[in-house]
């Protein structure tokens, strides 16, 4: 099945330079009452001499020589749907997620990123990241410096970053990867349980499955 979608976007340019932002738009698809789209964020064209890209929650300082060619760099909200293991993670308390894109970009030399949260400094705060929107496990950035709710680090690849604190997951493991499935059961990580293992053949959590019955 093919869906034809008509999309109208309004672009706002700042100072006629290399930055452009998508601020508003609408979409229609035949046969559908509504279509959800995600807007927001700015993209900056950064050349071989480097540059700075900033948003309300994060930023990156790209030095000269880090790029092998000019790239459109964006720092902003995560627009993709993340895996259940990340959305329901219990071993990592994360603040606002910041996407540094493109995800597959590798730098020739390290660049400095910064991520800020709305909370003040928390004990044991770290900078955590996902490689991209398909990654299922948070990792801690080695060497990151976190002070008063802001973390900075030198990285060679982009991804999704957030300030975080490691806590015991639902299985009791500090910084573990266990998470809560659709039935509220603790699965993944070191639990040995697969997601939704308590759902029966009828789609019921803890249900009896198929049973024999007859008319009396």
């Amino acid at each position: 099945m093919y869906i034809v979608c008509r999309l109208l976007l309004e672009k706002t340019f700042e100072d006629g330079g290399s930055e452009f932002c998508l601020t508003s738009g609408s979409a229609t698809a035949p046969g559908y009452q509504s279509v959800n789209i995600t807007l927001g964020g700015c993209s900056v064209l950064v050349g071989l001499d480097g540059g700075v890209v900033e948003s309300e929650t994060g930023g990156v300082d790209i030095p000269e020589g880090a790029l092998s060619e000019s790239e459109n760099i964006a720092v902003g909200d995560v627009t993709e749907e993340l895996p259940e293991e990340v959305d329901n993670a219990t071993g990592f308390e994360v603040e606002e997620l910041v996407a540094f894109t493109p995800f597959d970009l590798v730098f020739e030399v390290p660049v400095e990123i910064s991520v800020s949260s709305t909370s003040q400094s928390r004990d044991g705060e770290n900078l955590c990241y996902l490689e991209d929107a398909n990654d299922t496990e948070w990792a801690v950035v080695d060497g990151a410096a976190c002070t008063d709710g802001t973390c900075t680090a030198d990285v060679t690849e982009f991804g999704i970053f957030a300030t975080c604190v490691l806590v015991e997951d639902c299985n009791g493991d500090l910084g573990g990867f266990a998470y809560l499935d659709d039935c509220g059961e603790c699965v993944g990580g070191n639990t040995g349980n697969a997601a939704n293992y308590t759902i029966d053949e009828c789609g019921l959590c803890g249900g009896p499955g198929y049973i024999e019955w007859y008319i009396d």
Side-chain angles (χ1 to χ4, degrees), residues 22-96:
L22 301 179
T23 58
S24 64
S26 61
T28 59
Y32 292 82
Q33 293 183 346
S34 64
V35 178
N36 294 325
I37 59 175
T38 302
L39 299 167
C42 298
S43 178
V44 178
L45 181 64
V46 178
L48 301 182
D49 55 348
V52 175
V53 183
E54 295 181 317
S55 71
E56 293 182 357
T57 54
V60 57
D61 187 350
I62 302 173
E64 183 178 359
L67 293 170
S68 58
E69 60 182 5
S70 297
E71 293 280 356
N72 279 310
I73 306 296
V75 179
D77 295 338
V78 177
T79 58
E80 297 92 337
E81 183 177 352
L82 298 179
E84 180 184 11
E85 296 92 327
V86 173
D87 281 339
N88 298 332
T90 56
F92 293 77
E93 290 183 354
V94 300
E95 293 287 341
E96 291 84 0

Side-chain angles (χ1 to χ4, degrees), residues 28-201:
T28 59
Y32 292 82
Q33 293 183 346
S34 64
V35 178
N36 294 325
I37 59 175
T38 302
L39 299 167
C42 298
S43 178
V44 178
L45 181 64
V46 178
L48 301 182
D49 55 348
V52 175
V53 183
E54 295 181 317
S55 71
E56 293 182 357
T57 54
V60 57
D61 187 350
I62 302 173
E64 183 178 359
L67 293 170
S68 58
E69 60 182 5
S70 297
E71 293 280 356
N72 279 310
I73 306 296
V75 179
D77 295 338
V78 177
T79 58
E80 297 92 337
E81 183 177 352
L82 298 179
E84 180 184 11
E85 296 92 327
V86 173
D87 281 339
N88 298 332
T90 56
F92 293 77
E93 290 183 354
V94 300
E95 293 287 341
E96 291 84 0
L97 278 62
V98 183
F100 293 76
T101 57
F103 292 137
D104 58 355
L105 181 60
V106 178
F107 295 99
E108 302 291 333
V109 297
V111 302
E112 183 181 77
I113 66 167
S114 63
V115 175
S116 299
S117 67
T118 56
S119 302
Q120 296 299 318
S121 178
R122 299 177 292 172
D123 291 338
E125 195 165 42
N126 299 281
L127 180 62
C128 291
Y129 80 101
L130 303 168
E131 291 184 357
D132 53 37
N134 297 314
D135 197 351
T136 59
E137 293 185 352
W138 285 105
V140 175
V141 179
D142 293 331
C146 297
T147 305
D148 296 332
T150 298
C151 294
T152 60
D154 292 332
V155 300
T156 56
E157 296 183 45
F158 273 169
I160 298 172
F161 293 82
T163 60
C164 68
V165 173
L166 275 59
V167 297
E168 289 188 356
D169 67 7
C170 55
N171 193 52
D173 299 317
L174 181 65
F177 301 112
Y179 63 98
L180 301 177
D181 66 7
D182 294 332
C183 294
E185 300 290 345
C186 187
V187 299
N190 294 324
T191 65
N193 298 326
N196 300 327
Y197 72 98
T198 60
I199 294 182
D200 69 3
E201 297 89 340

